[in-house]
């Protein structure tokens, strides 16, 4: 009986291809090995498992590697029985499909549009609120400005501070005129020094070519060269004077005027919210109006603190500006006077001493001219 069972098993193990031909003995041995491997292969709790879906996945996504190994062996066995090449086997198709199959990360990416839409909506709401506040503030300030222009509204006035601001604007205008005239003097004097230098070169050349007038041309050439040298020294003093006045006018005074402009805008906003609060307080006192009055009171307090802070800043800057202006102009006016007097008196030593006294450094001759590389 055992022999009959073995004979039947041997008969059942003979593989038949698609054409009905029997396979070789080597292929039968390979099939037996594959069947034994399938029987031996099985799930083992000690083996490593593959978790599909990444971190935080459920227990349903855990696939034992031994099961996958046994499944792939069965599929390879069936492919051999059907004569399918390895490249077209089910194992290859399943692996490729597993690679192309979207994982749980796709569910996270599908939720990104909704999160982006919420973020965009939040930004839009924030911009709308900012635009709304700016529009209300602009409307109130414009209303207050027209009311002041036509004499219908009242404005907060600080007589002492406004008088100092008017003096500063007038002083700045006069200093700008001094700066313009000093620059004109610098340009004219520079042209005169250049003319003297050219004239001295011409006298020196003629003294070499005219033996009968060599001494006369020589004296004039030396005089013009000396005047040119003293003129360059005086130009250094005037340029230092112009640079200091320019810094005082266009940086120090301008910075203070910018603070004054911020103060004036804060004053206009303060009066606008003050007028709004007074208008609401004069009306009926129902529940809705009381809420609006309370909100207007808060806005009025904020604008009042801003106005008082900027008024204090303007007062401090005006004080420091006056001290700085006196110090700078005292030094620059003394330099200008001593340099001009020494030059036209022909006192070269006093002129050079004046520049050393005020730490004025002269540029070497030809430093303003571009180098031969820059000329290329």
């Amino acid at each position: 009986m055992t022999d009959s069972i073995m004979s039947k098993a041997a008969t059942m193990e003979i593989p038949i291809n698609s054409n009905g031909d029997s396979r070789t003995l080597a292929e039968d041995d390979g099939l037996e090995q594959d069947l034994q491997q399938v029987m031996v292969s099985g799930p083992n709790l000690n083996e490593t498992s593959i978790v599909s879906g990444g971190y935080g996945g459920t227990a349903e996504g855990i696939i034992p590697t031994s099961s996958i190994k046994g499944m792939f062996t069965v599929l390879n066995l069936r492919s051999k029985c059907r004569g399918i090449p390895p490249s077209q086997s089910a194992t290859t198709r399943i692996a490729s499909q597993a690679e192309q199959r979207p994982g749980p990360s796709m569910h996270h990416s599908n939720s990104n549009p909704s999160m982006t839409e919420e973020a965009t909506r939040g930004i839009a709401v924030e911009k709308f609120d900012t635009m709304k506040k700016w529009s209300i503030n602009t409307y109130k300030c414009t209303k207050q400005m027209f009311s002041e222009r036509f004499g219908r509204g009242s404005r907060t006035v600080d007589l002492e501070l406004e008088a100092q601001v008017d003096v500063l604007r007038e002083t700045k205008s006069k200093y700008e005129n001094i700066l313009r005239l000093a620059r004109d003097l610098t340009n004219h004097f520079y042209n005169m020094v250049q003319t003297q230098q050219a004239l001295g070169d011409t006298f020196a050349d003629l003294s070499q070519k005219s033996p009968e007038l060599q001494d006369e041309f020589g004296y004039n050439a030396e005089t013009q060269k000396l005047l040119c040298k003293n003129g360059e020294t005086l130009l250094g003093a005037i340029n230092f004077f112009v640079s200091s006045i320019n810094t005082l006018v266009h940086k120090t005074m301008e910075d203070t005027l910018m603070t004054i402009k911020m103060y004036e805008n804060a004053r206009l906003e303060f009066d606008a919210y003050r007028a709004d609060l007074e208008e609401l307080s004069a009306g009926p006192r129902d529940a809705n109006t009381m809420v609006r009055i309370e909100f207007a009171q808060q806005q009025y307090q904020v604008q009042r603190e801003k106005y008082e802070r900027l008024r204090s800043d303007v007062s401090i800057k005006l004080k420091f500006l006056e001290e700085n202006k006196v110090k700078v102009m005292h030094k620059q006016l003394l330099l200008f006077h001593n340099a001009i007097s020494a030059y036209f008196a022909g006192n070269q030593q006093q002129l050079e001493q004046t520049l050393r006294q005020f730490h004025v450094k002269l540029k070497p001759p030809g430093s303003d001219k571009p180098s031969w590389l820059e000329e290329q």
Side-chain angles (χ1 to χ4, degrees):
M1 183 178 179
T2 305
D3 296 336
S4 62
I5 293 174
M6 292 298 294
S7 62
K8 289 181 181 180
T11 305
M12 293 174 64
E13 290 176 359
I14 297 175
I16 305 298
N17 59 12
S18 59
N19 296 326
D21 298 333
S22 61
R23 294 184 180 273
T24 61
L25 184 60
E27 293 178 350
D28 294 341
D29 295 338
L31 290 176
E32 288 182 0
Q33 294 176 1
D34 292 338
L35 286 173
Q36 291 177 2
Q37 186 177 1
V38 171
M39 297 300 294
V40 174
S41 300
N44 190 351
L45 297 177
N46 296 327
E47 294 182 357
T48 306
S49 299
I50 298 176
V51 181
S52 61
Y55 295 103
T58 60
E60 297 177 357
I62 301 178
I63 304 174
T65 55
S66 59
S67 300
I68 296 176
K69 181 179 179 182
M71 180 178 62
F72 284 173
T73 306
V74 173
L75 293 174
N76 289 330
L77 178 60
R78 291 179 180 177
S79 301
K80 290 181 179 181
C81 294
R82 296 177 182 177
I84 301 175
S87 60
Q88 301 178 1
S89 63
T91 306
T92 307
R93 292 198 303 271
I94 291 176
S96 62
Q97 291 176 3
E99 292 177 356
Q100 297 176 1
R101 186 177 301 169
S105 59
M106 297 297 293
H107 298 286
H108 297 286
S109 62
N110 292 335
S111 62
N112 288 337
S114 60
M115 296 177 61
T116 305
E117 184 178 356
E118 293 178 359
T120 305
R121 188 183 298 109
I123 295 174
V125 171
E126 184 179 356
K127 289 184 177 180
F128 177 77
D129 293 340
T130 304
M131 189 66 182
K132 181 180 178 181
K133 293 179 182 179
W134 177 83
S135 302
I136 295 174
N137 185 67
T138 303
Y139 168 74
K140 290 182 179 181
C141 293
T142 305
K143 180 181 177 182
Q144 177 66 23
M145 182 177 63
F146 279 106
S147 298
E148 293 177 1
R149 291 282 180 88
F150 291 104
R152 298 176 182 176
S154 60
R155 62 187 298 266
T156 304
V157 179
D158 190 336
L159 296 177
E160 182 180 359
L161 188 60
E162 290 191 1
Q164 294 178 0
V165 171
D166 292 338
V167 170
L168 173 60
R169 290 196 171 106
E170 184 179 0
T171 303
K172 183 175 182 291
S173 177
K174 293 180 178 179
Y175 276 51
E176 288 176 345
N177 189 34
I178 292 176
L179 182 61
R180 180 180 59 82
L181 294 174
R183 285 174 173 169
D184 292 342
L185 176 63
T186 303
N187 294 331
H188 295 321
F189 195 76
Y190 174 79
N191 293 330
M192 187 186 73
V193 170
Q194 295 298 315
T195 303
Q196 289 176 340
Q197 183 177 2
L199 188 59
D201 295 338
T202 303
F203 285 155
D205 183 62
L206 288 174
S207 67
Q208 299 294 332
K209 298 179 180 180
S210 303
E212 65 281 2
L213 297 174
Q214 182 177 5
D215 295 338
E216 289 78 0
F217 278 125
Y219 295 151
N220 282 277
E222 292 295 332
T223 301
Q224 295 300 322
K225 288 182 180 180
L226 180 60
L227 291 174
C228 181
K229 181 180 179 182
N230 293 340
E232 290 177 352
T233 305
L234 180 60
L235 276 176
I238 298 177
N239 285 330
F240 186 77
F241 175 82
V242 170
S243 176
S244 300
I245 300 299
N246 182 69
T247 302
L248 178 64
V249 173
H250 293 294
K251 291 186 178 181
T252 309
M253 290 185 178
E254 192 65 30
D255 178 70
T256 305
L257 289 175
M258 287 296 297
T259 307
I260 291 173
K261 186 177 181 180
M262 295 171 60
Y263 157 74
E264 292 175 346
N265 292 335
R267 196 276 310 163
L268 183 63
E269 291 179 356
F270 168 70
D271 286 336
Y273 282 91
R274 177 181 56 80
D276 187 31
L277 179 61
E278 292 175 355
E279 183 178 354
L280 289 174
S281 301
R285 299 295 184 92
D286 54 1
N288 189 19
T289 305
M290 292 301 297
V291 174
R292 295 176 58 188
I293 289 176
E294 183 179 357
F295 179 74
Q297 182 71 30
Q298 295 176 358
Q299 297 294 322
Y300 166 78
Q301 190 64 28
V302 171
Q303 296 299 328
R304 180 179 179 180
E305 292 176 358
K306 179 181 178 181
Y307 165 73
E308 291 178 352
R309 183 179 69 255
L310 286 173
R311 181 176 62 179
S312 176
D313 293 344
V314 170
S315 300
I316 294 173
K317 283 199 172 186
L318 285 173
K319 180 181 178 181
F320 284 126
L321 175 62
E322 184 66 22
E323 294 176 357
N324 188 28
K325 183 192 70 174
V326 172
K327 184 186 299 184
V328 170
M329 292 308 299
H330 174 76
K331 177 181 178 180
Q332 296 301 320
L333 290 174
L334 186 61
L335 167 66
F336 190 81
H337 173 268
N338 292 344
I340 292 291
S341 300
Y343 173 79
F344 285 100
N347 192 339
Q348 181 181 0
Q349 295 180 354
Q350 185 179 356
L351 180 60
E352 294 177 353
Q353 183 180 358
T354 300
L355 267 67
R356 288 194 299 268
Q357 178 183 356
F358 293 97
H359 307 285
V360 180
K361 296 181 180 180
L362 298 178
K363 295 181 180 180
S367 60
D368 295 334
K369 297 180 181 180
S371 62
W372 64 273
L373 288 174
E374 297 175 348
E375 294 177 352
Q376 297 299 323

